Amino acid sequence: MAGETAADFAPILYMLGFGLVASVPALILSRLVSPRRRYNPVKFLPMECGQMPTGEGRSHFMMQYYAYILMFVVFDVMSIFLYAWGTALFSIPKAATLPIIGFLGIMFAAMGYALFLAGRKGIW
Amino acid sequence: MATYTKNFRFGEFVGSLIWLILWILIIIALVGLPLIFIVLFYVPLPPVNGQVLTPYLFLTMTVDPSRTLPIIKYMIHTDLFRITTFPGFTYAALIAAVTIFIERKFLAKMQLRVGPLYAGKIEGILQLIADGLKLIAKEIIVPSGADKPLFWAAPIAFVAAAAAVVALIPAAPTWVAANVDVGLLAVFAILGFFPLIALLFSWASNSKYPFIGGLRALHQMIAFEIPFILSALSVVILSGTLNLTGIVNSQITSYWFIFFAPISAFVFYISSLAELERIPFDLPEAESEIVAGWLTETSGMIYGLLQLGSYVKTYALAALFVILFLGGWAGPAVMPVELIPGYTGVQIYNHTTADAILWFTLKVFGVIMLMLLPRGISPRIRIDILLHTGWYKLIVLAFINIFVALALIYGGILGPGGLLVR
């Protein structure tokens, strides 16, 4: 397999730049042709279904399902790590699959235990 | 309510138009033409008919059709064309526009309505143009206390990130903007930005409903990112490469991977619906619960850009499904070998590429229709059921198919020298 350089990824950056080039004029054009009436301050209040907004917009909010977030941090890395193995599968000996199966077993046991605990204790 | 100005005189109106045209001509002559020459001077132009092009020759050749074709052929094969037009932005935006129209008519038919009808003579076909004009002409209201730079930057970043995903999608053999060895991982990496942009935008809006919607977008990513990544892993095991063109080529030499990995295809479809925030997974913008979720404070063109970005993303994920499971551009040859019989000049038309584009586009629209379908038939699911589905069911399903793929490889059915490899 041929190696690749950072320059191979340049079209992604160009495309990102083209996205900017295509969307910024739309905003500028909209700003030029659209009306701007600023005499009614109520218009700029945050949306609260027609009521006067109460309290802070950016308040403390309970991040629910905390246990899942902790598990996500571990298993997202695991799933990306499996790609390194999946790509090299044709070029490694068959015996090398056994350690991966063992690794998956350990991870699955841990995940099952975490989900079991989260379910039993009612952790959000 | 349209009103004329007080002292409207037709002669003055025509006079002002003439002045406008004059000013435009002066600006083109003094700024536009020198700018074109400066750009042409720095763009490396091809040797055509044995002579190296200069900007002057280029401008003269654009008048003569027989000398224009080589230039067009050269331009089609540059990176610029790939990024701006064919597998890139314009193609994706066109498919996004058609998707929006199809979605509205299709949903309307499912719900026994007629859908857009008045704009344009035939079935409201100009509805999208009317909507675009409306969105451009509407006032953009930035709520008080909003984080203004972030508020303006988030929609632009959304469109740009969606375009960056499109850069990695091959639409025909060798027709891809960025042909990288780790294409699939790069797609996942860029898709990870979207919930963050949603969260940033919702934080910048300084309002309660967007904030709840942004946090829900984050939860949705946590529930569905892992099944999404794992469902593509069985395809990587079967093909042995992360390059998207390579994945398609390995399906052309054997069979479509949806026959070997149907469970993975199902998991990928479900989790791509969640990535796209489409019904039944539209919790971040649940309009019957939290007004419009993280889009509550958007108005005018900001909303338009976010919609454009999300439909471009829809195209990208449908194309990814086609590439991973439905054999990409593989299909029987139906296009004519010669577009103009007996023509022996510079050939731009290539029938294998035309076949590839035709089949790829047809398959993408099929998958997009499949993605639009749940919106007509399914209610929104609850957030705890969402997390439960992602963590307890989809991950297990994805792993079942990974072991099936391993069995296929080690059983000698697929992989190098396998039974079903042609």
mmCIF file of all heavy atoms in Angstrom, chain B residues 231-278:
data_model
loop_
_atom_site.group_PDB
_atom_site.id
_atom_site.type_symbol
_atom_site.label_atom_id
_atom_site.label_comp_id
_atom_site.label_asym_id
_atom_site.label_seq_id
_atom_site.Cartn_x
_atom_site.Cartn_y
_atom_site.Cartn_z
ATOM 1 N N SER B 231 -20.638 -0.580 12.638
ATOM 2 C CA SER B 231 -21.354 -1.201 11.530
ATOM 3 C C SER B 231 -20.541 -1.106 10.247
ATOM 4 O O SER B 231 -20.662 -1.965 9.376
ATOM 5 C CB SER B 231 -22.708 -0.543 11.334
ATOM 6 O OG SER B 231 -22.546 0.811 11.044
ATOM 7 N N ALA B 232 -19.697 -0.073 10.126
ATOM 8 C CA ALA B 232 -18.842 0.012 8.942
ATOM 9 C C ALA B 232 -17.636 -0.901 9.062
ATOM 10 O O ALA B 232 -16.979 -1.193 8.071
ATOM 11 C CB ALA B 232 -18.393 1.448 8.715
ATOM 12 N N LEU B 233 -17.345 -1.375 10.287
ATOM 13 C CA LEU B 233 -16.147 -2.204 10.483
ATOM 14 C C LEU B 233 -16.252 -3.523 9.742
ATOM 15 O O LEU B 233 -15.259 -4.011 9.202
ATOM 16 C CB LEU B 233 -15.926 -2.439 11.984
ATOM 17 C CG LEU B 233 -14.727 -3.303 12.334
ATOM 18 C CD1 LEU B 233 -13.467 -2.663 11.829
ATOM 19 C CD2 LEU B 233 -14.631 -3.514 13.826
ATOM 20 N N SER B 234 -17.466 -4.108 9.645
ATOM 21 C CA SER B 234 -17.559 -5.396 8.960
ATOM 22 C C SER B 234 -17.264 -5.229 7.477
ATOM 23 O O SER B 234 -16.693 -6.136 6.854
ATOM 24 C CB SER B 234 -18.934 -6.023 9.190
ATOM 25 O OG SER B 234 -19.932 -5.142 8.805
ATOM 26 N N VAL B 235 -17.633 -4.073 6.910
ATOM 27 C CA VAL B 235 -17.276 -3.809 5.512
ATOM 28 C C VAL B 235 -15.767 -3.694 5.357
ATOM 29 O O VAL B 235 -15.184 -4.222 4.403
ATOM 30 C CB VAL B 235 -17.968 -2.514 5.039
ATOM 31 C CG1 VAL B 235 -17.431 -2.095 3.695
ATOM 32 C CG2 VAL B 235 -19.440 -2.724 4.949
ATOM 33 N N VAL B 236 -15.123 -3.031 6.334
ATOM 34 C CA VAL B 236 -13.662 -2.892 6.264
ATOM 35 C C VAL B 236 -13.000 -4.256 6.370
ATOM 36 O O VAL B 236 -12.030 -4.545 5.661
ATOM 37 C CB VAL B 236 -13.179 -1.941 7.373
ATOM 38 C CG1 VAL B 236 -11.676 -1.953 7.455
ATOM 39 C CG2 VAL B 236 -13.667 -0.550 7.099
ATOM 40 N N ILE B 237 -13.552 -5.145 7.217
ATOM 41 C CA ILE B 237 -12.984 -6.489 7.336
ATOM 42 C C ILE B 237 -13.137 -7.241 6.009
ATOM 43 O O ILE B 237 -12.216 -7.912 5.551
ATOM 44 C CB ILE B 237 -13.685 -7.244 8.480
ATOM 45 C CG1 ILE B 237 -13.211 -6.683 9.822
ATOM 46 C CG2 ILE B 237 -13.401 -8.732 8.419
ATOM 47 C CD1 ILE B 237 -13.896 -7.293 10.994
ATOM 48 N N LEU B 238 -14.300 -7.100 5.367
ATOM 49 C CA LEU B 238 -14.544 -7.831 4.123
ATOM 50 C C LEU B 238 -13.674 -7.325 2.986
ATOM 51 O O LEU B 238 -13.265 -8.088 2.117
ATOM 52 C CB LEU B 238 -16.016 -7.724 3.726
ATOM 53 C CG LEU B 238 -17.000 -8.505 4.586
ATOM 54 C CD1 LEU B 238 -18.407 -8.214 4.154
ATOM 55 C CD2 LEU B 238 -16.724 -9.985 4.484
ATOM 56 N N SER B 239 -13.413 -5.994 2.955
ATOM 57 C CA SER B 239 -12.665 -5.463 1.816
ATOM 58 C C SER B 239 -11.196 -5.238 2.130
ATOM 59 O O SER B 239 -10.385 -5.176 1.218
ATOM 60 C CB SER B 239 -13.291 -4.148 1.353
ATOM 61 O OG SER B 239 -13.126 -3.176 2.344
ATOM 62 N N GLY B 240 -10.855 -5.104 3.389
ATOM 63 C CA GLY B 240 -9.457 -4.985 3.765
ATOM 64 C C GLY B 240 -8.850 -3.634 3.479
ATOM 65 O O GLY B 240 -7.639 -3.485 3.441
ATOM 66 N N THR B 241 -9.658 -2.600 3.269
ATOM 67 C CA THR B 241 -9.107 -1.267 3.036
ATOM 68 C C THR B 241 -10.043 -0.229 3.610
ATOM 69 O O THR B 241 -11.232 -0.491 3.800
ATOM 70 C CB THR B 241 -8.886 -1.016 1.533
ATOM 71 O OG1 THR B 241 -8.471 0.330 1.358
ATOM 72 C CG2 THR B 241 -10.140 -1.244 0.737
ATOM 73 N N LEU B 242 -9.491 0.950 3.888
ATOM 74 C CA LEU B 242 -10.305 2.054 4.383
ATOM 75 C C LEU B 242 -10.593 3.058 3.275
ATOM 76 O O LEU B 242 -11.372 3.973 3.453
ATOM 77 C CB LEU B 242 -9.592 2.780 5.529
ATOM 78 C CG LEU B 242 -9.558 2.057 6.863
ATOM 79 C CD1 LEU B 242 -8.629 2.789 7.796
ATOM 80 C CD2 LEU B 242 -10.928 2.009 7.462
ATOM 81 N N ASN B 243 -9.908 2.882 2.130
ATOM 82 C CA ASN B 243 -10.111 3.801 1.008
ATOM 83 C C ASN B 243 -11.469 3.521 0.372
ATOM 84 O O ASN B 243 -11.799 2.384 0.034
ATOM 85 C CB ASN B 243 -8.976 3.555 0.003
ATOM 86 C CG ASN B 243 -9.017 4.512 -1.142
ATOM 87 O OD1 ASN B 243 -10.084 4.825 -1.649
ATOM 88 N ND2 ASN B 243 -7.875 4.994 -1.550
ATOM 89 N N LEU B 244 -12.305 4.565 0.221
ATOM 90 C CA LEU B 244 -13.679 4.345 -0.239
ATOM 91 C C LEU B 244 -13.716 3.803 -1.665
ATOM 92 O O LEU B 244 -14.518 2.941 -1.996
ATOM 93 C CB LEU B 244 -14.471 5.641 -0.136
ATOM 94 C CG LEU B 244 -14.704 6.113 1.298
ATOM 95 C CD1 LEU B 244 -15.376 7.452 1.318
ATOM 96 C CD2 LEU B 244 -15.548 5.127 2.047
ATOM 97 N N THR B 245 -12.798 4.300 -2.531
ATOM 98 C CA THR B 245 -12.720 3.752 -3.888
ATOM 99 C C THR B 245 -12.328 2.281 -3.852
ATOM 100 O O THR B 245 -12.874 1.457 -4.597
ATOM 101 C CB THR B 245 -11.694 4.553 -4.705
ATOM 102 O OG1 THR B 245 -11.949 5.943 -4.515
ATOM 103 C CG2 THR B 245 -11.813 4.245 -6.165
ATOM 104 N N GLY B 246 -11.400 1.938 -2.963
ATOM 105 C CA GLY B 246 -10.987 0.540 -2.831
ATOM 106 C C GLY B 246 -12.126 -0.338 -2.365
ATOM 107 O O GLY B 246 -12.272 -1.483 -2.814
ATOM 108 N N ILE B 247 -12.955 0.176 -1.446
ATOM 109 C CA ILE B 247 -14.104 -0.600 -0.965
ATOM 110 C C ILE B 247 -15.047 -0.903 -2.120
ATOM 111 O O ILE B 247 -15.517 -2.031 -2.292
ATOM 112 C CB ILE B 247 -14.814 0.169 0.165
ATOM 113 C CG1 ILE B 247 -13.963 0.139 1.429
ATOM 114 C CG2 ILE B 247 -16.168 -0.445 0.466
ATOM 115 C CD1 ILE B 247 -14.494 0.980 2.537
ATOM 116 N N VAL B 248 -15.310 0.111 -2.955
ATOM 117 C CA VAL B 248 -16.195 -0.114 -4.103
ATOM 118 C C VAL B 248 -15.570 -1.116 -5.062
ATOM 119 O O VAL B 248 -16.250 -2.030 -5.560
ATOM 120 C CB VAL B 248 -16.490 1.219 -4.822
ATOM 121 C CG1 VAL B 248 -17.287 0.957 -6.077
ATOM 122 C CG2 VAL B 248 -17.264 2.124 -3.917
ATOM 123 N N ASN B 249 -14.250 -1.005 -5.317
ATOM 124 C CA ASN B 249 -13.613 -1.924 -6.252
ATOM 125 C C ASN B 249 -13.685 -3.362 -5.755
ATOM 126 O O ASN B 249 -13.884 -4.289 -6.542
ATOM 127 C CB ASN B 249 -12.151 -1.518 -6.471
ATOM 128 C CG ASN B 249 -12.063 -0.303 -7.363
ATOM 129 O OD1 ASN B 249 -12.971 -0.050 -8.145
ATOM 130 N ND2 ASN B 249 -10.993 0.461 -7.233
ATOM 131 N N SER B 250 -13.545 -3.561 -4.425
ATOM 132 C CA SER B 250 -13.625 -4.931 -3.929
ATOM 133 C C SER B 250 -15.050 -5.464 -4.021
ATOM 134 O O SER B 250 -15.257 -6.676 -4.063
ATOM 135 C CB SER B 250 -13.109 -4.998 -2.497
ATOM 136 O OG SER B 250 -13.920 -4.241 -1.670
ATOM 137 N N GLN B 251 -16.069 -4.572 -4.069
ATOM 138 C CA GLN B 251 -17.423 -5.068 -4.294
ATOM 139 C C GLN B 251 -17.660 -5.393 -5.756
ATOM 140 O O GLN B 251 -18.453 -6.265 -6.083
ATOM 141 C CB GLN B 251 -18.449 -4.035 -3.841
ATOM 142 C CG GLN B 251 -18.470 -3.871 -2.347
ATOM 143 C CD GLN B 251 -19.463 -2.834 -1.920
ATOM 144 O OE1 GLN B 251 -20.653 -3.054 -2.006
ATOM 145 N NE2 GLN B 251 -18.972 -1.704 -1.468
ATOM 146 N N ILE B 252 -16.959 -4.665 -6.649
ATOM 147 C CA ILE B 252 -17.125 -4.963 -8.078
ATOM 148 C C ILE B 252 -16.516 -6.327 -8.396
ATOM 149 O O ILE B 252 -17.055 -7.086 -9.204
ATOM 150 C CB ILE B 252 -16.477 -3.833 -8.920
ATOM 151 C CG1 ILE B 252 -17.331 -2.562 -8.799
ATOM 152 C CG2 ILE B 252 -16.366 -4.238 -10.371
ATOM 153 C CD1 ILE B 252 -16.707 -1.353 -9.404
ATOM 154 N N THR B 253 -15.401 -6.688 -7.700
ATOM 155 C CA THR B 253 -14.795 -7.995 -7.984
ATOM 156 C C THR B 253 -15.494 -9.134 -7.266
ATOM 157 O O THR B 253 -15.225 -10.290 -7.571
ATOM 158 C CB THR B 253 -13.312 -7.981 -7.578
ATOM 159 O OG1 THR B 253 -13.216 -7.532 -6.239
ATOM 160 C CG2 THR B 253 -12.520 -7.068 -8.469
ATOM 161 N N SER B 254 -16.363 -8.852 -6.275
ATOM 162 C CA SER B 254 -17.145 -9.955 -5.709
ATOM 163 C C SER B 254 -18.639 -9.609 -5.820
ATOM 164 O O SER B 254 -19.140 -9.455 -6.918
ATOM 165 C CB SER B 254 -16.723 -10.237 -4.266
ATOM 166 O OG SER B 254 -17.035 -9.164 -3.439
ATOM 167 N N TYR B 255 -19.326 -9.497 -4.718
ATOM 168 C CA TYR B 255 -20.731 -9.093 -4.766
ATOM 169 C C TYR B 255 -20.940 -7.938 -3.802
ATOM 170 O O TYR B 255 -20.076 -7.618 -3.002
ATOM 171 C CB TYR B 255 -21.633 -10.267 -4.402
ATOM 172 C CG TYR B 255 -21.583 -11.373 -5.411
ATOM 173 C CD1 TYR B 255 -20.715 -12.443 -5.251
ATOM 174 C CD2 TYR B 255 -22.380 -11.328 -6.548
ATOM 175 C CE1 TYR B 255 -20.652 -13.449 -6.192
ATOM 176 C CE2 TYR B 255 -22.309 -12.331 -7.493
ATOM 177 C CZ TYR B 255 -21.448 -13.377 -7.315
ATOM 178 O OH TYR B 255 -21.374 -14.351 -8.255
ATOM 179 N N TRP B 256 -22.118 -7.279 -3.897
ATOM 180 C CA TRP B 256 -22.396 -6.170 -3.000
ATOM 181 C C TRP B 256 -22.347 -6.650 -1.553
ATOM 182 O O TRP B 256 -22.840 -7.738 -1.235
ATOM 183 C CB TRP B 256 -23.783 -5.587 -3.292
ATOM 184 C CG TRP B 256 -23.887 -4.945 -4.617
ATOM 185 C CD1 TRP B 256 -22.914 -4.843 -5.564
ATOM 186 C CD2 TRP B 256 -25.050 -4.319 -5.163
ATOM 187 N NE1 TRP B 256 -23.395 -4.183 -6.666
ATOM 188 C CE2 TRP B 256 -24.691 -3.859 -6.451
ATOM 189 C CE3 TRP B 256 -26.331 -4.095 -4.687
ATOM 190 C CZ2 TRP B 256 -25.595 -3.176 -7.256
ATOM 191 C CZ3 TRP B 256 -27.229 -3.436 -5.494
ATOM 192 C CH2 TRP B 256 -26.863 -2.984 -6.763
ATOM 193 N N PHE B 257 -21.818 -5.792 -0.681
ATOM 194 C CA PHE B 257 -21.627 -6.218 0.704
ATOM 195 C C PHE B 257 -22.930 -6.294 1.484
ATOM 196 O O PHE B 257 -22.952 -6.800 2.587
ATOM 197 C CB PHE B 257 -20.647 -5.288 1.411
ATOM 198 C CG PHE B 257 -19.229 -5.528 1.014
ATOM 199 C CD1 PHE B 257 -18.286 -4.524 1.108
ATOM 200 C CD2 PHE B 257 -18.831 -6.764 0.540
ATOM 201 C CE1 PHE B 257 -16.979 -4.755 0.732
ATOM 202 C CE2 PHE B 257 -17.536 -6.989 0.169
ATOM 203 C CZ PHE B 257 -16.603 -5.986 0.265
ATOM 204 N N ILE B 258 -24.029 -5.761 0.903
ATOM 205 C CA ILE B 258 -25.283 -5.844 1.656
ATOM 206 C C ILE B 258 -25.733 -7.298 1.749
ATOM 207 O O ILE B 258 -26.446 -7.678 2.685
ATOM 208 C CB ILE B 258 -26.359 -4.947 1.018
ATOM 209 C CG1 ILE B 258 -27.510 -4.767 1.997
ATOM 210 C CG2 ILE B 258 -26.869 -5.516 -0.281
ATOM 211 C CD1 ILE B 258 -28.460 -3.671 1.635
ATOM 212 N N PHE B 259 -25.259 -8.188 0.831
ATOM 213 C CA PHE B 259 -25.625 -9.594 0.916
ATOM 214 C C PHE B 259 -24.856 -10.305 2.025
ATOM 215 O O PHE B 259 -25.335 -11.287 2.577
ATOM 216 C CB PHE B 259 -25.360 -10.291 -0.419
ATOM 217 C CG PHE B 259 -26.131 -9.689 -1.542
ATOM 218 C CD1 PHE B 259 -25.498 -9.230 -2.678
ATOM 219 C CD2 PHE B 259 -27.511 -9.545 -1.451
ATOM 220 C CE1 PHE B 259 -26.216 -8.664 -3.717
ATOM 221 C CE2 PHE B 259 -28.227 -8.982 -2.480
ATOM 222 C CZ PHE B 259 -27.590 -8.539 -3.609
ATOM 223 N N PHE B 260 -23.640 -9.811 2.326
ATOM 224 C CA PHE B 260 -22.845 -10.453 3.369
ATOM 225 C C PHE B 260 -23.030 -9.778 4.720
ATOM 226 O O PHE B 260 -22.796 -10.380 5.751
ATOM 227 C CB PHE B 260 -21.361 -10.426 2.989
ATOM 228 C CG PHE B 260 -21.084 -11.003 1.643
ATOM 229 C CD1 PHE B 260 -20.542 -10.228 0.642
ATOM 230 C CD2 PHE B 260 -21.395 -12.317 1.380
ATOM 231 C CE1 PHE B 260 -20.309 -10.766 -0.606
ATOM 232 C CE2 PHE B 260 -21.160 -12.862 0.136
ATOM 233 C CZ PHE B 260 -20.614 -12.082 -0.851
ATOM 234 N N ALA B 261 -23.415 -8.494 4.710
ATOM 235 C CA ALA B 261 -23.522 -7.748 5.968
ATOM 236 C C ALA B 261 -24.862 -7.030 6.055
ATOM 237 O O ALA B 261 -24.903 -5.810 6.187
ATOM 238 C CB ALA B 261 -22.365 -6.760 6.084
ATOM 239 N N PRO B 262 -25.982 -7.782 5.966
ATOM 240 C CA PRO B 262 -27.285 -7.089 6.013
ATOM 241 C C PRO B 262 -27.569 -6.447 7.367
ATOM 242 O O PRO B 262 -28.160 -5.367 7.424
ATOM 243 C CB PRO B 262 -28.282 -8.209 5.697
ATOM 244 C CG PRO B 262 -27.591 -9.447 6.048
ATOM 245 C CD PRO B 262 -26.143 -9.232 5.808
ATOM 246 N N ILE B 263 -27.111 -7.098 8.441
ATOM 247 C CA ILE B 263 -27.376 -6.542 9.774
ATOM 248 C C ILE B 263 -26.601 -5.236 9.935
ATOM 249 O O ILE B 263 -27.114 -4.250 10.465
ATOM 250 C CB ILE B 263 -26.993 -7.549 10.872
ATOM 251 C CG1 ILE B 263 -27.650 -8.894 10.580
ATOM 252 C CG2 ILE B 263 -27.409 -7.065 12.220
ATOM 253 C CD1 ILE B 263 -27.192 -9.987 11.482
ATOM 254 N N SER B 264 -25.347 -5.239 9.443
ATOM 255 C CA SER B 264 -24.548 -4.009 9.505
ATOM 256 C C SER B 264 -25.222 -2.893 8.712
ATOM 257 O O SER B 264 -25.235 -1.745 9.146
ATOM 258 C CB SER B 264 -23.164 -4.247 8.929
ATOM 259 O OG SER B 264 -22.321 -4.757 9.920
ATOM 260 N N ALA B 265 -25.771 -3.269 7.533
ATOM 261 C CA ALA B 265 -26.428 -2.248 6.712
ATOM 262 C C ALA B 265 -27.606 -1.654 7.478
ATOM 263 O O ALA B 265 -27.822 -0.436 7.467
ATOM 264 C CB ALA B 265 -26.889 -2.856 5.398
ATOM 265 N N PHE B 266 -28.360 -2.517 8.154
ATOM 266 C CA PHE B 266 -29.500 -2.040 8.941
ATOM 267 C C PHE B 266 -29.036 -1.109 10.061
ATOM 268 O O PHE B 266 -29.576 -0.010 10.236
ATOM 269 C CB PHE B 266 -30.248 -3.247 9.518
ATOM 270 C CG PHE B 266 -31.363 -2.880 10.431
ATOM 271 C CD1 PHE B 266 -32.530 -2.329 9.928
ATOM 272 C CD2 PHE B 266 -31.254 -3.079 11.795
ATOM 273 C CE1 PHE B 266 -33.561 -1.988 10.769
ATOM 274 C CE2 PHE B 266 -32.276 -2.736 12.641
ATOM 275 C CZ PHE B 266 -33.435 -2.186 12.128
ATOM 276 N N VAL B 267 -27.997 -1.512 10.788
ATOM 277 C CA VAL B 267 -27.490 -0.677 11.888
ATOM 278 C C VAL B 267 -26.963 0.641 11.351
ATOM 279 O O VAL B 267 -27.197 1.708 11.924
ATOM 280 C CB VAL B 267 -26.397 -1.438 12.671
ATOM 281 C CG1 VAL B 267 -25.750 -0.540 13.691
ATOM 282 C CG2 VAL B 267 -26.985 -2.644 13.337
ATOM 283 N N PHE B 268 -26.260 0.572 10.199
ATOM 284 C CA PHE B 268 -25.702 1.793 9.601
ATOM 285 C C PHE B 268 -26.829 2.737 9.196
ATOM 286 O O PHE B 268 -26.749 3.950 9.425
ATOM 287 C CB PHE B 268 -24.864 1.412 8.381
ATOM 288 C CG PHE B 268 -24.062 2.542 7.830
ATOM 289 C CD1 PHE B 268 -22.815 2.824 8.311
ATOM 290 C CD2 PHE B 268 -24.571 3.336 6.818
ATOM 291 C CE1 PHE B 268 -22.076 3.873 7.807
ATOM 292 C CE2 PHE B 268 -23.847 4.382 6.305
ATOM 293 C CZ PHE B 268 -22.596 4.647 6.801
ATOM 294 N N TYR B 269 -27.873 2.174 8.626
ATOM 295 C CA TYR B 269 -29.029 2.996 8.214
ATOM 296 C C TYR B 269 -29.669 3.672 9.416
ATOM 297 O O TYR B 269 -29.905 4.890 9.406
ATOM 298 C CB TYR B 269 -30.018 2.091 7.483
ATOM 299 C CG TYR B 269 -31.373 2.687 7.257
ATOM 300 C CD1 TYR B 269 -31.548 3.745 6.382
ATOM 301 C CD2 TYR B 269 -32.480 2.196 7.932
ATOM 302 C CE1 TYR B 269 -32.790 4.292 6.172
ATOM 303 C CE2 TYR B 269 -33.724 2.733 7.726
ATOM 304 C CZ TYR B 269 -33.873 3.783 6.852
ATOM 305 O OH TYR B 269 -35.092 4.324 6.650
ATOM 306 N N ILE B 270 -29.912 2.900 10.490
ATOM 307 C CA ILE B 270 -30.547 3.468 11.681
ATOM 308 C C ILE B 270 -29.670 4.556 12.276
ATOM 309 O O ILE B 270 -30.124 5.663 12.593
ATOM 310 C CB ILE B 270 -30.796 2.363 12.737
ATOM 311 C CG1 ILE B 270 -31.783 1.348 12.194
ATOM 312 C CG2 ILE B 270 -31.297 2.953 14.033
ATOM 313 C CD1 ILE B 270 -33.180 1.787 12.205
ATOM 314 N N SER B 271 -28.351 4.276 12.411
ATOM 315 C CA SER B 271 -27.515 5.280 13.056
ATOM 316 C C SER B 271 -27.231 6.464 12.152
ATOM 317 O O SER B 271 -26.994 7.556 12.655
ATOM 318 C CB SER B 271 -26.220 4.685 13.604
ATOM 319 O OG SER B 271 -25.909 3.491 13.034
ATOM 320 N N SER B 272 -27.318 6.288 10.834
ATOM 321 C CA SER B 272 -27.161 7.482 9.998
ATOM 322 C C SER B 272 -28.410 8.358 10.089
ATOM 323 O O SER B 272 -28.298 9.580 10.017
ATOM 324 C CB SER B 272 -26.838 7.121 8.557
ATOM 325 O OG SER B 272 -27.837 6.328 8.009
ATOM 326 N N LEU B 273 -29.583 7.741 10.295
ATOM 327 C CA LEU B 273 -30.766 8.561 10.573
ATOM 328 C C LEU B 273 -30.543 9.392 11.831
ATOM 329 O O LEU B 273 -30.915 10.566 11.896
ATOM 330 C CB LEU B 273 -31.993 7.676 10.779
ATOM 331 C CG LEU B 273 -32.689 7.114 9.563
ATOM 332 C CD1 LEU B 273 -33.920 6.371 9.992
ATOM 333 C CD2 LEU B 273 -33.077 8.230 8.636
ATOM 334 N N ALA B 274 -29.924 8.766 12.838
ATOM 335 C CA ALA B 274 -29.666 9.498 14.086
ATOM 336 C C ALA B 274 -28.637 10.594 13.885
ATOM 337 O O ALA B 274 -28.758 11.683 14.437
ATOM 338 C CB ALA B 274 -29.211 8.530 15.174
ATOM 339 N N GLU B 275 -27.598 10.313 13.064
ATOM 340 C CA GLU B 275 -26.594 11.337 12.795
ATOM 341 C C GLU B 275 -27.217 12.527 12.067
ATOM 342 O O GLU B 275 -26.791 13.669 12.245
ATOM 343 C CB GLU B 275 -25.480 10.776 11.911
ATOM 344 C CG GLU B 275 -24.584 9.759 12.559
ATOM 345 C CD GLU B 275 -23.503 10.405 13.384
ATOM 346 O OE1 GLU B 275 -23.065 11.499 13.021
ATOM 347 O OE2 GLU B 275 -23.123 9.808 14.404
ATOM 348 N N LEU B 276 -28.222 12.244 11.217
ATOM 349 C CA LEU B 276 -28.835 13.306 10.423
ATOM 350 C C LEU B 276 -29.913 14.038 11.187
ATOM 351 O O LEU B 276 -30.499 14.980 10.666
ATOM 352 C CB LEU B 276 -29.446 12.711 9.157
ATOM 353 C CG LEU B 276 -28.465 12.174 8.148
ATOM 354 C CD1 LEU B 276 -29.182 11.373 7.112
ATOM 355 C CD2 LEU B 276 -27.747 13.319 7.509
ATOM 356 N N GLU B 277 -30.227 13.592 12.397
ATOM 357 C CA GLU B 277 -31.290 14.188 13.217
ATOM 358 C C GLU B 277 -32.617 14.157 12.467
ATOM 359 O O GLU B 277 -33.369 15.123 12.438
ATOM 360 C CB GLU B 277 -30.948 15.608 13.640
ATOM 361 C CG GLU B 277 -29.708 15.661 14.515
ATOM 362 C CD GLU B 277 -29.217 17.063 14.718
ATOM 363 O OE1 GLU B 277 -29.901 17.995 14.260
ATOM 364 O OE2 GLU B 277 -28.166 17.215 15.344
ATOM 365 N N ARG B 278 -32.888 13.042 11.813
ATOM 366 C CA ARG B 278 -34.153 12.892 11.113
ATOM 367 C C ARG B 278 -35.110 12.100 11.994
ATOM 368 O O ARG B 278 -34.692 11.348 12.850
ATOM 369 C CB ARG B 278 -33.946 12.161 9.791
ATOM 370 C CG ARG B 278 -33.096 12.914 8.804
ATOM 371 C CD ARG B 278 -33.307 12.376 7.429
ATOM 372 N NE ARG B 278 -34.615 12.734 6.949
ATOM 373 C CZ ARG B 278 -34.920 13.905 6.397
ATOM 374 N NH1 ARG B 278 -33.985 14.799 6.223
ATOM 375 N NH2 ARG B 278 -36.139 14.179 6.006
#
